[in-house]
Amino acid sequence: GAVVSQHPSWVICKSGTSVKIECRSLDFQATTMFWYRQFPKQSLMLMATSNEGSKATYEQGVEKDKFLINHASLTLSTLTVTSAHPEDSSFYICSAGDASLGNQPQHFGDGTRLSIL
Amino acid sequence: QKEVEQNSGPLSVPEGAIASLNCTYSDRGSQSFFWYRQYSGKSPELIMSIYSNGDKEDGRFTAQLNKASQYVSLLIRDSQPSDSATYLCAVSRGSTLGRLYFGRGTQLTVWP
């Protein structure tokens, strides 16, 4: 079945550090990937749509200069949290669907737990 | 009105019982419907997808879709303690991008 790999699974770093998270589709090509954030006991919040070869589309209220997204190939999207602060601590999850199947269904990576000290 | 609404729960059922999870959606143009299971501290896992009216069964899980009523449900038969999780209903509006709209989730607890 479709597998989405996300790395790293856990990051602890100091305030002001930039953190890069990778999302890979292992056995299919993904022209679109989605990045979510989830705070404890809350629902998934879509942050942005990552589009291969073009700019990402950000949801209202998400700072594009804070959360940099790059989707340079059909199997890899990266999310960089720039100058992270404690309020950026959260669970970040990506999803992707097989482009040859109309991008459905979406499969999720295992998530990255980010803790900013 | 939210795009996707789920009965908020929490829902608690005894082991062996049938758990019924419900979801309604607002956009009549929605075409694809999914149920994800999310264990505490983990990412969502796809357990069912349904695209046409009626029932779809997969093992102990049955998804039901009624587009006229804009309603989708998930039944879990012979519930097990390992089914205890938050269940997310997700809807795709037909966009080719695959974007999903999620409900807030229903927390299910199956007690032995």
Side-chain angles (χ1 to χ4, degrees):
Chain A
V3 178
V4 175
S5 173
Q6 191 173 338
H7 179 81
S9 57
W10 197 293
V11 180
I12 302 174
C13 58
K14 294 180 180 179
S15 184
T17 305
S18 292
V19 178
K20 179 185 284 187
I21 303 170
E22 292 187 349
C23 182
R24 294 182 184 272
S25 55
L26 295 187
D27 50 0
F28 63 94
Q29 293 186 329
T31 54
T32 304
M33 294 184 177
F34 298 91
W35 287 97
Y36 296 84
R37 180 167 54 181
Q38 188 175 38
F39 293 106
K41 299 192 183 300
Q42 295 189 21
S43 57
L44 291 170
M45 187 194 82
L46 179 65
M47 298 176 66
T49 302
S50 173
N51 304 300
E52 188 269 333
S54 65
K55 291 183 179 180
T57 305
Y58 291 83
E59 295 300 299
Q60 190 173 6
V62 178
E63 300 174 57
K64 62 180 181 181
D65 295 329
K66 171 78 171 176
F67 300 98
L68 300 179
I69 291 173
N70 182 276
H71 193 153
S73 78
L74 287 171
T75 59
L76 174 63
S77 174
T78 61
L79 168 68
T80 301
V81 183
T82 62
S83 187
H85 289 94
E87 59 266 28
D88 298 322
S89 298
S90 188
F91 190 41
Y92 292 85
I93 318 171
C94 69
S95 76
D98 191 331
S100 67
L101 300 177
N103 296 312
Q104 292 180 4
Q106 288 283 308
H107 297 275
F108 286 84
D110 287 340
T112 298
R113 196 161 300 281
L114 177 62
S115 295
I116 307 298
L117 305 177
Chain B
Q1 184 184 9
K2 282 183 62 67
E3 296 270 358
V4 180
E5 299 206 45
Q6 296 183 240
N7 45 342
S8 57
L11 177 65
S12 180
V13 301
E15 184 174 357
I18 296 175
S20 177
L21 304 164
N22 303 316
C23 174
T24 58
Y25 58 94
S26 61
D27 186 347
R28 282 196 172 275
S30 300
Q31 298 184 1
S32 306
F33 307 85
F34 307 92
W35 285 98
Y36 288 85
R37 177 177 62 199
Q38 186 175 24
Y39 291 114
S40 180
K42 302 294 186 181
S43 67
E45 171 193 12
L46 179 68
I47 54 172
M48 288 289 285
S49 57
I50 186 165
Y51 304 97
S52 55
N53 280 328
D55 295 358
K56 179 181 178 182
E57 187 175 317
D58 184 0
R60 296 185 296 110
F61 299 98
T62 299
Q64 299 174 318
L65 175 61
N66 184 324
K67 289 187 177 180
S69 300
Q70 296 174 243
Y71 174 89
V72 59
S73 66
L74 179 70
L75 299 177
I76 307 174
R77 290 182 301 281
D78 189 23
S79 296
Q80 301 295 309
S82 58
D83 295 327
S84 298
T86 296
Y87 289 80
L88 302 170
C89 173
V91 174
S92 173
R93 293 159 86 180
S95 162
T96 56
L97 296 180
R99 173 177 176 164
L100 296 176
Y101 294 82
F102 285 89
R104 294 181 63 84
T106 299
Q107 185 177 343
L108 171 66
T109 300
V110 181
W111 44 276

